[in-house]
Amino acid sequence: MTNDFDKLLPALERIADALERMAPPARKSNDLSAADAFVWQAESGYLQPVRNVNRIEIGLLQGIEQQKTILYNNTKRFADGLPANNALLWGARGTGKSSIIKAMHARINAERAGALALVEIHREDIPTLPHLLHILEESGRKTVLFCDDLSFDMQDESYKSLKAVLEGGIEGRPNNVIFYATSNRRHLMARDMIENERSTAINPSEAVEEKVSLSDRFGLWLGFHNISQDVYFEIIEGYAKEFGLDMPVEDLRARAKEWTVTRGSRSGRVAWQFIQEIAGEMGKRLG
């Protein structure tokens, strides 16, 4: 009997090893105390900690002083446990919409360590938002939930999930979570989509209202617009001073102006790309 078992043992061990390899890996636990910033990995249901956030210091964001003040007050109230609004930051590309959110998170945490977590959800993962909110609510940590470049096309129905979560659903938004989104579109849908809805619907106003009402779920709207040349120069000179890029102001401005011609636009993003070009030429690191 013992000999028979000894003969079977190697085969049983191989079967056990094969079953173990076939078993799905254990799901990682979500610990919001592990970092101050995370990226939502929807497929695995995991909040990936981000140790070094790609951001710009709040003082270097020029030409958007009013937006900085409004967003700071709203975020500070939320961090202090007071009522605050979901925010939609909309407007021209490259004007600092996502940068201000990341910088504001850093400023609040500089004032009080660990006051807020920042969690980024990708636009395509919006349908998993209820699951993410459940995780964030259970953690109890105050969290800014951030979605960059949020918009919807004609066939996209995931905006309904977002509408329910922001205000209208039976559960709604947890008290320890606030939602900040950026978009190039004020109503999160393209103008031709709005016109198409009006022209093809039996009741045009109701058809448009269904999608446009999503932006109404954001209590705070902040507009970001193209900057003047003077503000563009202020941004450039602020960066140059911060990073020790020694160049005569006249030369710096001439180069910066030429750079906008090659890019066809003038914005905070274009200014940062120009500074990277100059720093590279000078052999200086940024950071």
Side-chain angles (χ1 to χ4, degrees), residues 58-276:
I58 192 73
L60 294 175
L61 299 176
Q62 303 291 327
I64 50 174
E65 297 306 320
Q66 183 180 21
Q67 294 92 326
K68 287 196 291 187
T69 299
I70 294 172
L71 191 65
Y72 171 78
N73 290 336
N74 191 68
T75 311
K76 184 67 164 60
R77 286 195 294 266
F78 172 68
D80 291 341
L82 298 173
N85 278 305
N86 299 312
L88 174 62
L89 288 66
W90 67 274
R93 69 186 190 277
T95 49
K97 299 184 296 294
S98 60
S99 294
I100 195 177
I101 293 175
K102 292 182 286 186
M104 200 60 65
H105 168 253
R107 177 178 174 181
I108 295 294
N109 279 359
E111 295 174 353
R112 177 156 53 92
L116 292 177
L118 179 67
V119 173
E120 181 175 10
I121 180 172
H122 297 136
R123 181 254 166 277
E124 60 271 19
D125 296 329
I126 287 294
T128 68
L129 190 53
H131 177 45
L132 172 57
L133 287 178
H134 179 70
I135 293 172
L136 297 179
E137 183 176 26
E138 283 196 329
S139 78
R141 186 176 184 187
K142 291 190 179 301
T143 302
V144 175
L145 183 55
F146 163 51
C147 184
D148 193 26
D149 197 21
L150 181 64
S151 62
F152 300 94
D153 58 30
M154 189 72 73
Q155 285 74 38
D156 197 339
E157 296 293 319
S158 61
Y159 72 91
K160 294 181 179 179
S161 300
L162 183 55
K163 282 176 62 176
V165 164
L166 290 179
E167 293 293 344
I170 190 171
E171 289 185 293
R173 171 172 59 90
N175 291 330
N176 66 314
V177 178
I178 198 167
F179 190 79
Y180 287 175
T182 72
S183 179
N184 294 335
R185 304 166 179 171
R186 184 171 183 175
H187 290 296
L188 303 176
M189 55 188 294
R191 183 177 296 276
D192 60 345
M193 288 174 57
I194 296 176
E195 297 304 325
N196 185 67
E197 291 279 2
R198 287 199 175 106
S199 64
T200 60
I202 296 175
N203 190 327
S205 62
E206 288 184 3
V208 174
E209 183 69 18
E210 172 71 10
K211 290 189 174 70
V212 171
S213 64
L214 172 59
S215 59
D216 292 337
R217 299 298 205 276
F218 294 88
L220 187 62
W221 287 10
L222 294 177
F224 290 71
H225 310 289
N226 290 319
I227 59 176
S228 66
Q229 181 167 279
D230 287 342
V231 172
Y232 175 69
F233 286 153
E234 286 179 16
I235 296 172
I236 294 293
E237 290 164 23
Y239 281 145
K241 182 179 179 181
E242 175 72 14
F243 298 115
L245 305 180
D246 298 323
M247 178 181 290
V249 173
E250 295 78 10
D251 294 344
L252 187 66
R253 289 191 172 194
R255 291 282 305 275
K257 189 174 181 180
E258 182 183 357
W259 184 264
T260 64
V261 173
T262 64
R263 297 304 306 274
S265 65
R266 188 171 54 220
S267 68
R269 179 180 297 154
V270 170
W272 176 247
Q273 292 166 343
F274 169 71
I275 288 297
Q276 288 180 306

